[in-house]
mmCIF file of all heavy atoms in Angstrom:
data_model
loop_
_atom_site.group_PDB
_atom_site.id
_atom_site.type_symbol
_atom_site.label_atom_id
_atom_site.label_comp_id
_atom_site.label_asym_id
_atom_site.label_seq_id
_atom_site.Cartn_x
_atom_site.Cartn_y
_atom_site.Cartn_z
ATOM 1 N N TRP L 19 0.802 -1.215 0.000
ATOM 2 C CA TRP L 19 0.000 0.000 0.000
ATOM 3 C C TRP L 19 0.842 1.276 0.000
ATOM 4 O O TRP L 19 0.455 2.263 -0.585
ATOM 5 C CB TRP L 19 -0.955 0.006 1.181
ATOM 6 C CG TRP L 19 -1.656 -1.298 1.401
ATOM 7 C CD1 TRP L 19 -1.825 -1.938 2.592
ATOM 8 C CD2 TRP L 19 -2.283 -2.144 0.432
ATOM 9 N NE1 TRP L 19 -2.508 -3.113 2.422
ATOM 10 C CE2 TRP L 19 -2.799 -3.269 1.098
ATOM 11 C CE3 TRP L 19 -2.436 -2.087 -0.945
ATOM 12 C CZ2 TRP L 19 -3.473 -4.294 0.454
ATOM 13 C CZ3 TRP L 19 -3.108 -3.116 -1.589
ATOM 14 C CH2 TRP L 19 -3.614 -4.194 -0.893
ATOM 15 N N SER L 20 1.980 1.284 0.632
ATOM 16 C CA SER L 20 2.765 2.506 0.718
ATOM 17 C C SER L 20 3.453 2.871 -0.590
ATOM 18 O O SER L 20 3.991 3.954 -0.714
ATOM 19 C CB SER L 20 3.812 2.380 1.822
ATOM 20 O OG SER L 20 4.679 1.311 1.522
ATOM 21 N N LYS L 21 3.442 2.006 -1.592
ATOM 22 C CA LYS L 21 4.132 2.262 -2.850
ATOM 23 C C LYS L 21 3.254 2.971 -3.883
ATOM 24 O O LYS L 21 3.682 3.206 -4.991
ATOM 25 C CB LYS L 21 4.640 0.944 -3.433
ATOM 26 C CG LYS L 21 5.658 0.273 -2.548
ATOM 27 C CD LYS L 21 6.068 -1.054 -3.102
ATOM 28 C CE LYS L 21 6.966 -1.764 -2.100
ATOM 29 N NZ LYS L 21 7.254 -3.124 -2.516
ATOM 30 N N ILE L 22 2.048 3.329 -3.524
ATOM 31 C CA ILE L 22 1.132 3.962 -4.465
ATOM 32 C C ILE L 22 1.578 5.378 -4.762
ATOM 33 O O ILE L 22 1.934 6.136 -3.867
ATOM 34 C CB ILE L 22 -0.304 3.984 -3.896
ATOM 35 C CG1 ILE L 22 -0.794 2.558 -3.702
ATOM 36 C CG2 ILE L 22 -1.249 4.762 -4.801
ATOM 37 C CD1 ILE L 22 -2.070 2.475 -2.911
ATOM 38 N N ASP L 23 1.538 5.756 -6.031
ATOM 39 C CA ASP L 23 1.814 7.119 -6.446
ATOM 40 C C ASP L 23 0.562 7.943 -6.188
ATOM 41 O O ASP L 23 -0.429 7.819 -6.897
ATOM 42 C CB ASP L 23 2.176 7.146 -7.932
ATOM 43 C CG ASP L 23 2.400 8.546 -8.460
ATOM 44 O OD1 ASP L 23 2.373 9.503 -7.661
ATOM 45 O OD2 ASP L 23 2.605 8.678 -9.680
ATOM 46 N N GLN L 24 0.575 8.770 -5.181
ATOM 47 C CA GLN L 24 -0.607 9.531 -4.790
ATOM 48 C C GLN L 24 -1.046 10.521 -5.861
ATOM 49 O O GLN L 24 -2.172 10.988 -5.851
ATOM 50 C CB GLN L 24 -0.356 10.258 -3.466
ATOM 51 C CG GLN L 24 -0.098 9.337 -2.306
ATOM 52 C CD GLN L 24 -1.286 8.445 -1.966
ATOM 53 O OE1 GLN L 24 -2.438 8.822 -2.136
ATOM 54 N NE2 GLN L 24 -1.005 7.255 -1.491
ATOM 55 N N ASP L 25 -0.161 10.864 -6.802
ATOM 56 C CA ASP L 25 -0.513 11.796 -7.868
ATOM 57 C C ASP L 25 -1.054 11.083 -9.098
ATOM 58 O O ASP L 25 -1.504 11.713 -10.038
ATOM 59 C CB ASP L 25 0.706 12.635 -8.264
ATOM 60 C CG ASP L 25 1.185 13.508 -7.120
ATOM 61 O OD1 ASP L 25 0.318 14.006 -6.373
ATOM 62 O OD2 ASP L 25 2.395 13.668 -6.971
ATOM 63 N N GLY L 26 -0.996 9.752 -9.100
ATOM 64 C CA GLY L 26 -1.474 8.989 -10.243
ATOM 65 C C GLY L 26 -2.968 8.804 -10.200
ATOM 66 O O GLY L 26 -3.643 9.100 -9.221
ATOM 67 N N GLY L 27 -3.497 8.293 -11.294
ATOM 68 C CA GLY L 27 -4.923 8.051 -11.385
ATOM 69 C C GLY L 27 -5.298 6.679 -10.871
ATOM 70 O O GLY L 27 -4.457 5.880 -10.456
ATOM 71 N N ILE L 28 -6.601 6.401 -10.930
ATOM 72 C CA ILE L 28 -7.137 5.131 -10.443
ATOM 73 C C ILE L 28 -6.520 3.950 -11.179
ATOM 74 O O ILE L 28 -6.341 2.885 -10.611
ATOM 75 C CB ILE L 28 -8.681 5.127 -10.530
ATOM 76 C CG1 ILE L 28 -9.260 3.946 -9.780
ATOM 77 C CG2 ILE L 28 -9.150 5.098 -11.970
ATOM 78 C CD1 ILE L 28 -9.229 4.099 -8.316
ATOM 79 N N GLU L 29 -6.177 4.151 -12.443
ATOM 80 C CA GLU L 29 -5.594 3.045 -13.205
ATOM 81 C C GLU L 29 -4.263 2.590 -12.619
ATOM 82 O O GLU L 29 -3.861 1.441 -12.785
ATOM 83 C CB GLU L 29 -5.452 3.411 -14.683
ATOM 84 C CG GLU L 29 -4.404 4.445 -14.995
ATOM 85 C CD GLU L 29 -4.859 5.893 -14.827
ATOM 86 O OE1 GLU L 29 -5.932 6.150 -14.251
ATOM 87 O OE2 GLU L 29 -4.117 6.774 -15.276
ATOM 88 N N ASP L 30 -3.590 3.477 -11.897
ATOM 89 C CA ASP L 30 -2.316 3.124 -11.278
ATOM 90 C C ASP L 30 -2.481 2.168 -10.101
ATOM 91 O O ASP L 30 -1.538 1.505 -9.714
ATOM 92 C CB ASP L 30 -1.576 4.375 -10.802
ATOM 93 C CG ASP L 30 -1.130 5.257 -11.950
ATOM 94 O OD1 ASP L 30 -0.936 4.728 -13.063
ATOM 95 O OD2 ASP L 30 -0.981 6.470 -11.738
ATOM 96 N N VAL L 31 -3.663 2.092 -9.523
ATOM 97 C CA VAL L 31 -3.888 1.233 -8.369
ATOM 98 C C VAL L 31 -4.855 0.087 -8.670
ATOM 99 O O VAL L 31 -5.209 -0.664 -7.776
ATOM 100 C CB VAL L 31 -4.382 2.026 -7.138
ATOM 101 C CG1 VAL L 31 -3.331 3.006 -6.670
ATOM 102 C CG2 VAL L 31 -5.689 2.703 -7.408
ATOM 103 N N ALA L 32 -5.254 -0.053 -9.925
ATOM 104 C CA ALA L 32 -6.238 -1.079 -10.287
ATOM 105 C C ALA L 32 -5.790 -2.476 -9.856
ATOM 106 O O ALA L 32 -6.589 -3.242 -9.295
ATOM 107 C CB ALA L 32 -6.531 -1.053 -11.781
ATOM 108 N N LEU L 33 -4.544 -2.827 -10.068
ATOM 109 C CA LEU L 33 -4.071 -4.154 -9.670
ATOM 110 C C LEU L 33 -4.030 -4.314 -8.159
ATOM 111 O O LEU L 33 -4.333 -5.396 -7.641
ATOM 112 C CB LEU L 33 -2.702 -4.452 -10.275
ATOM 113 C CG LEU L 33 -2.693 -4.570 -11.800
ATOM 114 C CD1 LEU L 33 -1.279 -4.788 -12.305
ATOM 115 C CD2 LEU L 33 -3.618 -5.664 -12.276
ATOM 116 N N LEU L 34 -3.704 -3.249 -7.447
ATOM 117 C CA LEU L 34 -3.726 -3.314 -5.989
ATOM 118 C C LEU L 34 -5.149 -3.502 -5.479
ATOM 119 O O LEU L 34 -5.378 -4.216 -4.501
ATOM 120 C CB LEU L 34 -3.105 -2.055 -5.381
ATOM 121 C CG LEU L 34 -1.604 -1.882 -5.606
ATOM 122 C CD1 LEU L 34 -1.157 -0.540 -5.068
ATOM 123 C CD2 LEU L 34 -0.829 -3.013 -4.977
ATOM 124 N N ILE L 35 -6.107 -2.863 -6.138
ATOM 125 C CA ILE L 35 -7.514 -3.035 -5.765
ATOM 126 C C ILE L 35 -7.927 -4.480 -5.980
ATOM 127 O O ILE L 35 -8.556 -5.092 -5.106
ATOM 128 C CB ILE L 35 -8.414 -2.068 -6.566
ATOM 129 C CG1 ILE L 35 -8.135 -0.631 -6.134
ATOM 130 C CG2 ILE L 35 -9.891 -2.434 -6.392
ATOM 131 C CD1 ILE L 35 -8.746 0.420 -7.035
ATOM 132 N N LEU L 36 -7.572 -5.055 -7.132
ATOM 133 C CA LEU L 36 -7.902 -6.457 -7.407
ATOM 134 C C LEU L 36 -7.275 -7.379 -6.360
ATOM 135 O O LEU L 36 -7.922 -8.302 -5.864
ATOM 136 C CB LEU L 36 -7.440 -6.858 -8.803
ATOM 137 C CG LEU L 36 -8.192 -6.229 -9.974
ATOM 138 C CD1 LEU L 36 -7.510 -6.603 -11.285
ATOM 139 C CD2 LEU L 36 -9.646 -6.647 -9.984
ATOM 140 N N GLU L 37 -6.038 -7.120 -6.018
ATOM 141 C CA GLU L 37 -5.351 -7.933 -5.024
ATOM 142 C C GLU L 37 -6.022 -7.805 -3.658
ATOM 143 O O GLU L 37 -6.238 -8.802 -2.962
ATOM 144 C CB GLU L 37 -3.879 -7.514 -4.944
ATOM 145 C CG GLU L 37 -3.027 -8.437 -4.122
ATOM 146 C CD GLU L 37 -1.557 -8.092 -4.246
ATOM 147 O OE1 GLU L 37 -1.204 -6.901 -4.308
ATOM 148 O OE2 GLU L 37 -0.758 -9.041 -4.286
ATOM 149 N N TRP L 38 -6.388 -6.589 -3.267
ATOM 150 C CA TRP L 38 -7.068 -6.372 -1.990
ATOM 151 C C TRP L 38 -8.405 -7.093 -1.974
ATOM 152 O O TRP L 38 -8.758 -7.736 -0.979
ATOM 153 C CB TRP L 38 -7.254 -4.872 -1.741
ATOM 154 C CG TRP L 38 -7.874 -4.584 -0.414
ATOM 155 C CD1 TRP L 38 -7.226 -4.456 0.786
ATOM 156 C CD2 TRP L 38 -9.268 -4.413 -0.136
ATOM 157 N NE1 TRP L 38 -8.137 -4.199 1.785
ATOM 158 C CE2 TRP L 38 -9.396 -4.172 1.249
ATOM 159 C CE3 TRP L 38 -10.416 -4.428 -0.914
ATOM 160 C CZ2 TRP L 38 -10.622 -3.950 1.869
ATOM 161 C CZ3 TRP L 38 -11.640 -4.217 -0.304
ATOM 162 C CH2 TRP L 38 -11.737 -3.984 1.069
ATOM 163 N N LEU L 39 -9.157 -7.012 -3.063
ATOM 164 C CA LEU L 39 -10.440 -7.707 -3.136
ATOM 165 C C LEU L 39 -10.255 -9.217 -2.976
ATOM 166 O O LEU L 39 -11.025 -9.869 -2.268
ATOM 167 C CB LEU L 39 -11.155 -7.384 -4.450
ATOM 168 C CG LEU L 39 -11.717 -5.969 -4.552
ATOM 169 C CD1 LEU L 39 -12.153 -5.669 -5.981
ATOM 170 C CD2 LEU L 39 -12.875 -5.775 -3.578
ATOM 171 N N ALA L 40 -9.245 -9.776 -3.606
ATOM 172 C CA ALA L 40 -8.975 -11.216 -3.473
ATOM 173 C C ALA L 40 -8.696 -11.581 -2.020
ATOM 174 O O ALA L 40 -9.147 -12.625 -1.538
ATOM 175 C CB ALA L 40 -7.801 -11.625 -4.362
ATOM 176 N N GLU L 41 -7.981 -10.713 -1.310
ATOM 177 C CA GLU L 41 -7.700 -10.964 0.101
ATOM 178 C C GLU L 41 -8.978 -10.941 0.943
ATOM 179 O O GLU L 41 -9.015 -11.516 2.024
ATOM 180 C CB GLU L 41 -6.699 -9.931 0.626
ATOM 181 C CG GLU L 41 -5.304 -10.114 0.053
ATOM 182 C CD GLU L 41 -4.354 -8.985 0.397
ATOM 183 O OE1 GLU L 41 -4.789 -7.978 1.013
ATOM 184 O OE2 GLU L 41 -3.177 -9.084 0.024
ATOM 185 N N GLN L 42 -10.021 -10.285 0.440
ATOM 186 C CA GLN L 42 -11.314 -10.241 1.137
ATOM 187 C C GLN L 42 -12.219 -11.391 0.701
ATOM 188 O O GLN L 42 -13.368 -11.476 1.129
ATOM 189 C CB GLN L 42 -12.029 -8.910 0.859
ATOM 190 C CG GLN L 42 -11.205 -7.665 1.071
ATOM 191 C CD GLN L 42 -10.438 -7.638 2.373
ATOM 192 O OE1 GLN L 42 -11.008 -7.796 3.433
ATOM 193 N NE2 GLN L 42 -9.133 -7.463 2.286
ATOM 194 N N GLY L 43 -11.730 -12.248 -0.188
ATOM 195 C CA GLY L 43 -12.524 -13.364 -0.677
ATOM 196 C C GLY L 43 -13.397 -13.036 -1.873
ATOM 197 O O GLY L 43 -14.294 -13.800 -2.227
ATOM 198 N N VAL L 44 -13.144 -11.894 -2.501
ATOM 199 C CA VAL L 44 -13.927 -11.463 -3.653
ATOM 200 C C VAL L 44 -13.203 -11.850 -4.941
ATOM 201 O O VAL L 44 -12.014 -11.579 -5.099
ATOM 202 C CB VAL L 44 -14.152 -9.923 -3.625
ATOM 203 C CG1 VAL L 44 -14.863 -9.446 -4.874
ATOM 204 C CG2 VAL L 44 -14.915 -9.525 -2.369
ATOM 205 N N ASN L 45 -13.928 -12.495 -5.841
ATOM 206 C CA ASN L 45 -13.416 -12.777 -7.181
ATOM 207 C C ASN L 45 -13.634 -11.530 -8.019
ATOM 208 O O ASN L 45 -14.746 -10.988 -8.037
ATOM 209 C CB ASN L 45 -14.184 -13.940 -7.822
ATOM 210 C CG ASN L 45 -14.100 -15.187 -6.982
ATOM 211 O OD1 ASN L 45 -13.030 -15.618 -6.596
ATOM 212 N ND2 ASN L 45 -15.252 -15.765 -6.671
ATOM 213 N N ALA L 46 -12.599 -11.042 -8.691
ATOM 214 C CA ALA L 46 -12.737 -9.807 -9.456
ATOM 215 C C ALA L 46 -11.836 -9.834 -10.680
ATOM 216 O O ALA L 46 -10.807 -10.507 -10.694
ATOM 217 C CB ALA L 46 -12.383 -8.605 -8.580
ATOM 218 N N MET L 47 -12.273 -9.082 -11.693
ATOM 219 C CA MET L 47 -11.464 -8.957 -12.907
ATOM 220 C C MET L 47 -11.766 -7.634 -13.583
ATOM 221 O O MET L 47 -12.812 -7.028 -13.371
ATOM 222 C CB MET L 47 -11.758 -10.082 -13.879
ATOM 223 C CG MET L 47 -13.175 -10.102 -14.407
ATOM 224 S SD MET L 47 -13.300 -11.187 -15.816
ATOM 225 C CE MET L 47 -14.234 -10.146 -16.913
ATOM 226 N N ILE L 48 -10.807 -7.200 -14.384
ATOM 227 C CA ILE L 48 -11.011 -6.054 -15.261
ATOM 228 C C ILE L 48 -10.550 -6.496 -16.641
ATOM 229 O O ILE L 48 -9.564 -7.228 -16.771
ATOM 230 C CB ILE L 48 -10.264 -4.796 -14.774
ATOM 231 C CG1 ILE L 48 -10.644 -3.607 -15.637
ATOM 232 C CG2 ILE L 48 -8.783 -5.006 -14.705
ATOM 233 C CD1 ILE L 48 -10.241 -2.271 -15.069
ATOM 234 N N ARG L 49 -11.326 -6.107 -17.656
ATOM 235 C CA ARG L 49 -10.967 -6.504 -19.014
ATOM 236 C C ARG L 49 -11.283 -5.377 -19.970
ATOM 237 O O ARG L 49 -12.054 -4.481 -19.661
ATOM 238 C CB ARG L 49 -11.705 -7.773 -19.429
ATOM 239 C CG ARG L 49 -13.194 -7.584 -19.657
ATOM 240 C CD ARG L 49 -13.906 -8.862 -20.091
ATOM 241 N NE ARG L 49 -13.476 -9.405 -21.343
ATOM 242 C CZ ARG L 49 -14.040 -9.143 -22.519
ATOM 243 N NH1 ARG L 49 -15.071 -8.331 -22.584
ATOM 244 N NH2 ARG L 49 -13.583 -9.693 -23.621
ATOM 245 N N VAL L 50 -10.668 -5.454 -21.142
ATOM 246 C CA VAL L 50 -10.952 -4.495 -22.203
ATOM 247 C C VAL L 50 -11.359 -5.280 -23.441
ATOM 248 O O VAL L 50 -10.786 -6.330 -23.738
ATOM 249 C CB VAL L 50 -9.741 -3.568 -22.471
ATOM 250 C CG1 VAL L 50 -8.539 -4.333 -22.974
ATOM 251 C CG2 VAL L 50 -10.118 -2.451 -23.419
ATOM 252 N N ASP L 51 -12.380 -4.785 -24.132
ATOM 253 C CA ASP L 51 -12.896 -5.412 -25.346
ATOM 254 C C ASP L 51 -12.506 -4.517 -26.519
ATOM 255 O O ASP L 51 -13.070 -3.420 -26.686
ATOM 256 C CB ASP L 51 -14.412 -5.556 -25.232
ATOM 257 C CG ASP L 51 -15.038 -6.281 -26.410
ATOM 258 O OD1 ASP L 51 -14.638 -6.020 -27.566
ATOM 259 O OD2 ASP L 51 -15.947 -7.089 -26.173
ATOM 260 N N ALA L 52 -11.560 -4.960 -27.320
ATOM 261 C CA ALA L 52 -11.030 -4.149 -28.416
ATOM 262 C C ALA L 52 -12.105 -3.750 -29.422
ATOM 263 O O ALA L 52 -12.079 -2.634 -29.952
ATOM 264 C CB ALA L 52 -9.903 -4.895 -29.118
ATOM 265 N N GLU L 53 -13.050 -4.625 -29.690
ATOM 266 C CA GLU L 53 -14.116 -4.294 -30.639
ATOM 267 C C GLU L 53 -14.990 -3.159 -30.113
ATOM 268 O O GLU L 53 -15.364 -2.257 -30.858
ATOM 269 C CB GLU L 53 -14.974 -5.522 -30.932
ATOM 270 C CG GLU L 53 -14.267 -6.572 -31.758
ATOM 271 C CD GLU L 53 -15.125 -7.795 -32.014
ATOM 272 O OE1 GLU L 53 -16.365 -7.726 -31.865
ATOM 273 O OE2 GLU L 53 -14.547 -8.835 -32.358
#
């Protein structure tokens, strides 16, 4: 948690959010659809 760039946007912490959710027992994903 202390390595987050406080000046960055939400996209900079998206993987940390996913990891935190997994630690809470939540299955989560983010994806992009090129089409």
